[in-house]
Amino acid sequence: MTSYEKFEASSPENRRLLRRSELLLDVQCALCEAMDDSGVTRAELARRLDKTPGFITQILSSGRNLTLKTIADVADAIGCSVKVTMKAPDEAQERRTRC
């Protein structure tokens, strides 16, 4: 059993903490991929959102807890929409390893 698996199995609270962190990482990864795909830079995203470049750095690097409103606003500024899918933990982990 890996350290990750031990922590995950150690308590329901630790498992929930992992799921929160995984979700945040998945969203940040998806936003970065969408920016790359659309050619939108951090500076351009900041301009489109009327935010500072520092704000963009925070939301893309775990320095800020993202709200659904912020996620939707960023996606719209990139020219995307958001779709949420529930997956088993193993499937979600597979996606994170590609980022």
Side-chain angles (χ1 to χ4, degrees):
M1 187 178 271
T2 66
S3 297
Y4 176 93
E5 291 167 334
K6 287 177 187 175
F7 183 78
E8 180 179 36
S10 65
S11 74
E13 180 59 26
N14 286 345
R15 187 184 67 249
R16 283 190 290 274
L17 288 171
L18 282 173
R19 296 299 171 259
R20 290 176 198 157
S21 295
E22 291 166 350
L23 177 59
L24 183 57
L25 182 60
D26 285 347
V27 169
Q28 291 166 329
C29 184
L31 292 174
C32 287
E33 286 177 358
M35 288 173 63
D36 287 345
D37 291 348
S38 64
V40 175
T41 65
R42 289 179 182 216
E44 176 61 17
L45 182 59
R47 189 192 65 72
R48 290 180 186 185
L49 292 170
D50 196 26
K51 300 288 185 182
T52 66
F55 174 83
I56 303 305
T57 297
Q58 286 180 341
I59 65 173
L60 297 178
S61 64
S62 301
R64 178 179 290 268
N65 189 9
L66 293 171
T67 64
L68 294 175
K69 178 187 176 300
T70 301
I71 295 166
D73 289 351
V74 171
D76 181 68
I78 297 169
C80 297
S81 61
V82 177
K83 181 180 178 181
V84 177
T85 304
M86 306 293 267
K87 295 182 177 185
D90 289 345
E91 294 175 53
Q93 179 65 29
E94 182 180 310
R95 180 174 189 270
R96 275 188 296 284
T97 58
R98 292 180 292 181
C99 278

PDB file of all heavy atoms in Angstrom, residues 61-73:
ATOM      1  N   SER A  61      -2.460  28.253  -9.541  1.00  0.00           N
ATOM      2  CA  SER A  61      -1.386  27.589  -8.792  1.00  0.00           C
ATOM      3  C   SER A  61      -1.772  27.276  -7.349  1.00  0.00           C
ATOM      4  O   SER A  61      -0.928  27.289  -6.467  1.00  0.00           O
ATOM      5  CB  SER A  61      -0.126  28.453  -8.806  1.00  0.00           C
ATOM      6  OG  SER A  61      -0.371  29.665  -8.123  1.00  0.00           O
ATOM      7  N   SER A  62      -3.023  27.007  -7.109  1.00  0.00           N
ATOM      8  CA  SER A  62      -3.518  26.579  -5.798  1.00  0.00           C
ATOM      9  C   SER A  62      -3.389  27.621  -4.703  1.00  0.00           C
ATOM     10  O   SER A  62      -3.563  27.299  -3.540  1.00  0.00           O
ATOM     11  CB  SER A  62      -2.817  25.293  -5.339  1.00  0.00           C
ATOM     12  OG  SER A  62      -3.013  24.271  -6.256  1.00  0.00           O
ATOM     13  N   GLY A  63      -3.112  28.849  -5.048  1.00  0.00           N
ATOM     14  CA  GLY A  63      -3.020  29.874  -4.025  1.00  0.00           C
ATOM     15  C   GLY A  63      -4.360  30.430  -3.613  1.00  0.00           C
ATOM     16  O   GLY A  63      -4.469  31.227  -2.704  1.00  0.00           O
ATOM     17  N   ARG A  64      -5.393  30.013  -4.256  1.00  0.00           N
ATOM     18  CA  ARG A  64      -6.725  30.549  -3.991  1.00  0.00           C
ATOM     19  C   ARG A  64      -7.744  29.430  -4.166  1.00  0.00           C
ATOM     20  O   ARG A  64      -7.651  28.631  -5.077  1.00  0.00           O
ATOM     21  CB  ARG A  64      -7.013  31.691  -4.973  1.00  0.00           C
ATOM     22  CG  ARG A  64      -8.374  32.307  -4.853  1.00  0.00           C
ATOM     23  CD  ARG A  64      -8.531  33.434  -5.853  1.00  0.00           C
ATOM     24  NE  ARG A  64      -7.713  34.577  -5.500  1.00  0.00           N
ATOM     25  CZ  ARG A  64      -8.132  35.594  -4.754  1.00  0.00           C
ATOM     26  NH1 ARG A  64      -9.358  35.605  -4.284  1.00  0.00           N
ATOM     27  NH2 ARG A  64      -7.329  36.606  -4.489  1.00  0.00           N
ATOM     28  N   ASN A  65      -8.712  29.383  -3.283  1.00  0.00           N
ATOM     29  CA  ASN A  65      -9.787  28.403  -3.395  1.00  0.00           C
ATOM     30  C   ASN A  65     -10.772  28.880  -4.463  1.00  0.00           C
ATOM     31  O   ASN A  65     -11.367  29.945  -4.326  1.00  0.00           O
ATOM     32  CB  ASN A  65     -10.483  28.238  -2.043  1.00  0.00           C
ATOM     33  CG  ASN A  65     -11.454  27.076  -2.037  1.00  0.00           C
ATOM     34  OD1 ASN A  65     -11.502  26.286  -2.974  1.00  0.00           O
ATOM     35  ND2 ASN A  65     -12.227  26.960  -0.995  1.00  0.00           N
ATOM     36  N   LEU A  66     -10.901  28.127  -5.518  1.00  0.00           N
ATOM     37  CA  LEU A  66     -11.768  28.520  -6.631  1.00  0.00           C
ATOM     38  C   LEU A  66     -13.238  28.325  -6.294  1.00  0.00           C
ATOM     39  O   LEU A  66     -13.629  27.282  -5.770  1.00  0.00           O
ATOM     40  CB  LEU A  66     -11.434  27.677  -7.864  1.00  0.00           C
ATOM     41  CG  LEU A  66     -10.075  27.916  -8.483  1.00  0.00           C
ATOM     42  CD1 LEU A  66      -9.786  26.874  -9.542  1.00  0.00           C
ATOM     43  CD2 LEU A  66     -10.006  29.302  -9.072  1.00  0.00           C
ATOM     44  N   THR A  67     -14.053  29.312  -6.621  1.00  0.00           N
ATOM     45  CA  THR A  67     -15.499  29.169  -6.509  1.00  0.00           C
ATOM     46  C   THR A  67     -16.037  28.724  -7.869  1.00  0.00           C
ATOM     47  O   THR A  67     -15.356  28.862  -8.895  1.00  0.00           O
ATOM     48  CB  THR A  67     -16.167  30.496  -6.117  1.00  0.00           C
ATOM     49  OG1 THR A  67     -15.954  31.445  -7.179  1.00  0.00           O
ATOM     50  CG2 THR A  67     -15.610  31.031  -4.796  1.00  0.00           C
ATOM     51  N   LEU A  68     -17.247  28.222  -7.878  1.00  0.00           N
ATOM     52  CA  LEU A  68     -17.869  27.860  -9.153  1.00  0.00           C
ATOM     53  C   LEU A  68     -18.015  29.084 -10.041  1.00  0.00           C
ATOM     54  O   LEU A  68     -17.836  29.007 -11.260  1.00  0.00           O
ATOM     55  CB  LEU A  68     -19.225  27.203  -8.910  1.00  0.00           C
ATOM     56  CG  LEU A  68     -19.176  25.849  -8.206  1.00  0.00           C
ATOM     57  CD1 LEU A  68     -20.593  25.351  -7.903  1.00  0.00           C
ATOM     58  CD2 LEU A  68     -18.428  24.830  -9.032  1.00  0.00           C
ATOM     59  N   LYS A  69     -18.320  30.229  -9.455  1.00  0.00           N
ATOM     60  CA  LYS A  69     -18.438  31.470 -10.211  1.00  0.00           C
ATOM     61  C   LYS A  69     -17.119  31.810 -10.902  1.00  0.00           C
ATOM     62  O   LYS A  69     -17.098  32.132 -12.091  1.00  0.00           O
ATOM     63  CB  LYS A  69     -18.856  32.618  -9.282  1.00  0.00           C
ATOM     64  CG  LYS A  69     -18.960  33.961  -9.973  1.00  0.00           C
ATOM     65  CD  LYS A  69     -19.199  35.071  -8.959  1.00  0.00           C
ATOM     66  CE  LYS A  69     -19.222  36.426  -9.598  1.00  0.00           C
ATOM     67  NZ  LYS A  69     -18.023  36.819 -10.287  1.00  0.00           N
ATOM     68  N   THR A  70     -16.019  31.725 -10.173  1.00  0.00           N
ATOM     69  CA  THR A  70     -14.711  32.028 -10.761  1.00  0.00           C
ATOM     70  C   THR A  70     -14.377  31.054 -11.877  1.00  0.00           C
ATOM     71  O   THR A  70     -13.885  31.451 -12.939  1.00  0.00           O
ATOM     72  CB  THR A  70     -13.610  32.011  -9.680  1.00  0.00           C
ATOM     73  OG1 THR A  70     -13.920  32.983  -8.677  1.00  0.00           O
ATOM     74  CG2 THR A  70     -12.244  32.304 -10.277  1.00  0.00           C
ATOM     75  N   ILE A  71     -14.645  29.771 -11.644  1.00  0.00           N
ATOM     76  CA  ILE A  71     -14.377  28.762 -12.680  1.00  0.00           C
ATOM     77  C   ILE A  71     -15.172  29.079 -13.943  1.00  0.00           C
ATOM     78  O   ILE A  71     -14.640  29.063 -15.056  1.00  0.00           O
ATOM     79  CB  ILE A  71     -14.702  27.350 -12.160  1.00  0.00           C
ATOM     80  CG1 ILE A  71     -13.762  26.980 -11.016  1.00  0.00           C
ATOM     81  CG2 ILE A  71     -14.614  26.324 -13.303  1.00  0.00           C
ATOM     82  CD1 ILE A  71     -14.210  25.772 -10.224  1.00  0.00           C
ATOM     83  N   ALA A  72     -16.459  29.403 -13.775  1.00  0.00           N
ATOM     84  CA  ALA A  72     -17.303  29.724 -14.923  1.00  0.00           C
ATOM     85  C   ALA A  72     -16.820  30.987 -15.627  1.00  0.00           C
ATOM     86  O   ALA A  72     -16.788  31.044 -16.866  1.00  0.00           O
ATOM     87  CB  ALA A  72     -18.754  29.881 -14.477  1.00  0.00           C
ATOM     88  N   ASP A  73     -16.424  32.001 -14.864  1.00  0.00           N
ATOM     89  CA  ASP A  73     -15.932  33.244 -15.461  1.00  0.00           C
ATOM     90  C   ASP A  73     -14.645  33.018 -16.245  1.00  0.00           C
ATOM     91  O   ASP A  73     -14.484  33.535 -17.353  1.00  0.00           O
ATOM     92  CB  ASP A  73     -15.689  34.297 -14.372  1.00  0.00           C
ATOM     93  CG  ASP A  73     -16.960  34.845 -13.752  1.00  0.00           C
ATOM     94  OD1 ASP A  73     -18.069  34.561 -14.265  1.00  0.00           O
ATOM     95  OD2 ASP A  73     -16.842  35.560 -12.725  1.00  0.00           O
TER      96      ASP A  73
END
